[in-house]
Amino acid sequence: MKLSPKTAQKIAKTLIWSAALFVLVVLVAIILYILIKGLPMINWGFLTAIPRDMGRSGGISSTIVGTAMVTAVAIVIAVPLGIGTAFYLAEYTKEGMITRIIRFSADSLAGIPSIVYGLFGYIFFVIYLKMGWSVLSGGLTLSFMILPTMIRTSEEAIITVPNAYREASFSLGGTKWQTIIKTVFPSALRGIANGIILSIGRCIAETAAVALTAGAVLRMPTSLLSPTRTMAYHFYLLATEGISMENAYGTAALLIILIFFINVVVNAGVNKFMSKGK
């Protein structure tokens, strides 16, 4: 029996909406479950105290600082390199062997498991460069891991900028660099910001790579060469080893709140920047 185009469209629309609703329900259920379990654990003492007795007692202040330091190192290195490479691919080169190699390499690196990045960071940064388990080793490893994401998301955002914008800038006497800075970059900023948010979220949520490079020390890191434990790895150890499920849920809830807060702040900053440019 052949369906009419109108019936087929209704069925397809129903299936698409059902899939989207199912994903939304699952996501909300997971987040609510973790928040219900974890929010009662979050208080001032939990946020400011050093973990004690392997994490059974105390707070998670050192893991918060460690996560922030490792993520900051990774973002400071990967974001300029990723955005610069994306502009090179989208604005300064024509489609050819070099661009295809760079894109293929970025796509291939994006699919490598994080444990492989961790092994690379352990061999190269921890052992060969003798940085030891440290914030710097972990941050550098994460920068390699998120670089493909920054390149591809930034390039896609730049490509979507209409060529009419560039032509208008050139017709007014703008140079290539002026066109990129004054026209292309502001227009692509929202897409680039989404890439930065994804990269920050991946850094904060990473466990395998930082476990092999940053270490698992619970004391407060005092420099880039200090070993540290990130929040995600701390949560993983608390949960899998049965040390303290209450503190594990509290850490997980704080991770969700932190990632949500970063999304809101970055998007608000982008909106404010773009509103000023209008």
Side-chain angles (χ1 to χ4, degrees):
M1 180 179 177
K2 187 176 181 180
L3 297 175
S4 66
K6 187 175 290 186
T7 303
Q9 181 177 338
K10 288 182 179 179
I11 294 173
K13 188 175 181 179
T14 301
L15 291 174
I16 291 170
W17 275 100
S18 299
L21 183 62
F22 175 76
V23 172
L24 182 62
V25 169
V26 171
L27 177 63
V28 171
I30 293 172
I31 292 176
L32 285 178
Y33 178 79
I34 294 175
L35 291 179
I36 291 172
K37 290 280 190 176
L39 283 179
M41 290 298 302
I42 300 177
N43 52 49
W44 184 247
F46 185 72
L47 297 176
T48 57
I50 300 290
R52 297 190 302 272
D53 193 19
M54 297 178 64
R56 290 185 178 87
S57 59
I60 57 170
S61 61
S62 60
T63 65
I64 294 174
V65 174
T67 301
M69 292 177 69
V70 170
T71 302
V73 171
I75 293 299
V76 166
I77 294 172
V79 168
L81 288 176
I83 295 175
T85 303
F87 273 108
Y88 171 77
L89 292 173
E91 299 292 331
Y92 284 98
T93 63
K94 295 181 180 180
E95 190 64 31
M97 181 63 71
I98 295 177
T99 56
R100 286 196 294 270
I101 290 175
I102 294 175
R103 290 193 182 98
F104 176 78
S105 300
D107 292 338
S108 299
L109 289 172
I112 293 177
S114 59
I115 189 66
V116 178
Y117 283 102
L119 182 60
F120 163 77
Y122 175 74
I123 294 172
F124 186 66
F125 297 120
V126 177
I127 296 178
Y128 183 74
L129 296 183
K130 298 181 180 179
M131 294 180 182
W133 286 298
S134 63
V135 171
L136 188 58
S137 296
L140 289 171
T141 303
L142 290 181
S143 69
F144 277 88
M145 191 176 71
I146 65 175
L147 188 57
T149 302
M150 279 304 311
I151 293 174
R152 297 303 282 149
T153 55
S154 298
E155 185 186 5
E156 291 300 323
I158 295 165
I159 291 174
T160 58
V161 177
N163 282 327
Y165 291 9
R166 299 174 178 86
E167 293 169 359
S169 177
F170 292 143
S171 67
L172 294 173
T175 63
K176 184 75 171 180
W177 177 247
Q178 288 173 329
T179 300
I180 289 174
I181 295 299
K182 299 291 185 179
T183 304
V184 178
F185 179 73
S187 300
L189 183 59
R190 191 176 298 279
I192 294 173
N194 289 333
I196 295 174
I197 292 172
L198 288 172
S199 299
I200 293 174
R202 190 173 183 187
C203 289
I204 292 174
E206 183 54 43
T207 56
V210 294
L212 292 174
T213 55
V217 177
L218 285 173
R219 63 176 178 269
M220 184 70 70
T222 56
S223 71
L224 292 180
L225 295 178
S226 299
T228 189
R229 180 188 292 187
T230 62
M231 293 172 63
Y233 187 48
H234 183 62
F235 158 72
Y236 169 79
L237 291 177
L238 291 178
T240 57
E241 297 186 9
I243 296 173
S244 174
M245 288 305 300
E246 292 80 8
N247 286 345
Y249 279 121
T251 305
L254 188 60
L255 279 169
I256 291 175
I257 295 171
L258 181 61
I259 293 174
F260 176 77
F261 176 76
I262 291 171
N263 273 269
V264 171
V265 170
V266 173
N267 280 299
V270 170
N271 291 334
K272 186 175 181 180
F273 177 85
M274 296 185 74
S275 64
K276 285 184 177 180
K278 294 181 179 179

